[in-house]
Amino acid sequence: MKNQLKTLREAHGWTQGALADRLGVSRQTVNALETGRYDPALPLAFRIARLFGQPIELIFMPPDEPEEGQNP
Amino acid sequence: MTSTLDSQDRSDGDRAIFRAYQLEFWPGIIAYAVLLTGVLLWGDLDGQSPWRFAWAVVPVLPALWIVRAVLRHVRRIDDYQRLLLLQALGGGFAVAMIAAVTMAFLEIAGLRVEGVGWIVYGAGMLGWIITGTIAGRR
């Protein structure tokens, strides 16, 4: 699954470690999420959405869907 | 250019979890090493006393403490780390089982090897470490 996590994190000026502490996960997990190696379970996806104040579907999208702001 | 946001440092949460694990793990390891050394030096394991069997299993007690530390660590880590740990344990388990079966067949074939248990233990630990390293780097 593709996601906007890195973009959102950098927009907030946070390191992976800082985001990890806010989400209650490890930095390794944040890295795996950002690189698409790991898709979060729903509770973590909701925590991410709540932290960035955005709906889950704007942060995470299926691999065949264009990213936000891109033309199909 | 590398930004400070690309920092690979462990988070405060990572450090707290690691510290808690170390504080629970190391007393068990140290007690295990001390008891193992004591048993090997003074347990008279190759003697005739029936107590030698009791002495032989004494190091298991701190080993149980280590198991408790690992289980508590598993409860503290997040889902992704648990997945990596499960893969690593699965790799270690598979290698240990293959080693055990291989040694058993070699024994049936007439090959007597001293310390088979230690060979299986070592193979399992090695499998755990290698699988864990590979899973963590993927």
Side-chain angles (χ1 to χ4, degrees):
Chain A
M1 199 181 292
K2 292 187 293 185
N3 66 70
Q4 299 288 325
L5 204 55
K6 186 174 183 186
T7 309
L8 289 166
R9 172 178 67 78
E10 289 181 344
H12 281 74
W14 295 335
T15 61
Q16 288 184 342
L19 175 59
D21 283 338
R22 283 171 170 83
L23 293 173
V25 298
S26 67
R27 190 207 62 79
Q28 187 184 27
T29 300
V30 169
N31 186 264
L33 287 166
E34 287 187 354
T35 51
R37 280 180 287 122
Y38 172 61
D39 294 331
L42 272 178
L44 177 56
F46 275 110
R47 285 209 300 277
I48 292 168
R50 199 175 305 126
L51 181 67
F52 290 115
Q54 292 196 18
I56 287 178
E57 61 269 27
L58 284 184
I59 302 175
F60 297 95
M61 58 226 54
D64 53 344
E65 242 177 53
E67 288 181 26
E68 188 73 5
Q70 281 186 351
N71 292 325
Chain B
M1 195 174 79
T2 305
S3 147
T4 52
L5 299 182
D6 295 331
S7 163
Q8 300 285 299
D9 292 346
R10 282 191 299 181
S11 69
D12 291 342
D14 289 342
R15 274 190 280 268
I17 288 172
F18 182 72
R19 210 165 30 239
Y21 179 53
Q22 298 290 307
L23 281 173
E24 293 183 357
F25 180 80
W26 279 104
I29 281 287
I30 291 166
Y32 178 73
V34 168
L35 281 180
L36 192 65
T37 306
V39 165
L40 289 174
L41 288 177
W42 301 294
D44 194 25
L45 295 185
D46 50 359
Q48 294 301 314
S49 165
W51 284 100
R52 70 186 188 280
F53 297 112
W55 284 117
V57 295
V58 160
V60 170
L61 295 174
L64 291 175
W65 181 268
I66 297 167
V67 172
R68 176 183 177 271
V70 172
L71 291 177
R72 283 170 59 83
H73 178 65
V74 169
R75 277 208 297 270
R76 279 190 290 259
I77 58 180
D78 62 52
D79 287 351
Y80 177 66
Q81 290 180 306
R82 225 171 272 145
L83 177 71
L84 294 181
L85 184 62
L86 180 67
Q87 289 173 348
L89 287 172
F93 178 77
V95 172
M97 290 301 101
I98 290 167
V101 169
T102 305
M103 297 312 294
F105 276 116
L106 286 174
E107 202 172 340
I108 291 169
L111 182 71
R112 292 270 175 270
V113 181
E114 287 290 318
V116 166
W118 293 110
I119 293 172
V120 173
Y121 171 80
M125 289 301 287
L126 199 63
W128 179 1
I129 292 167
I130 291 172
T131 315
T133 306
I134 293 169
R137 285 187 179 172
R138 265 201 317 221

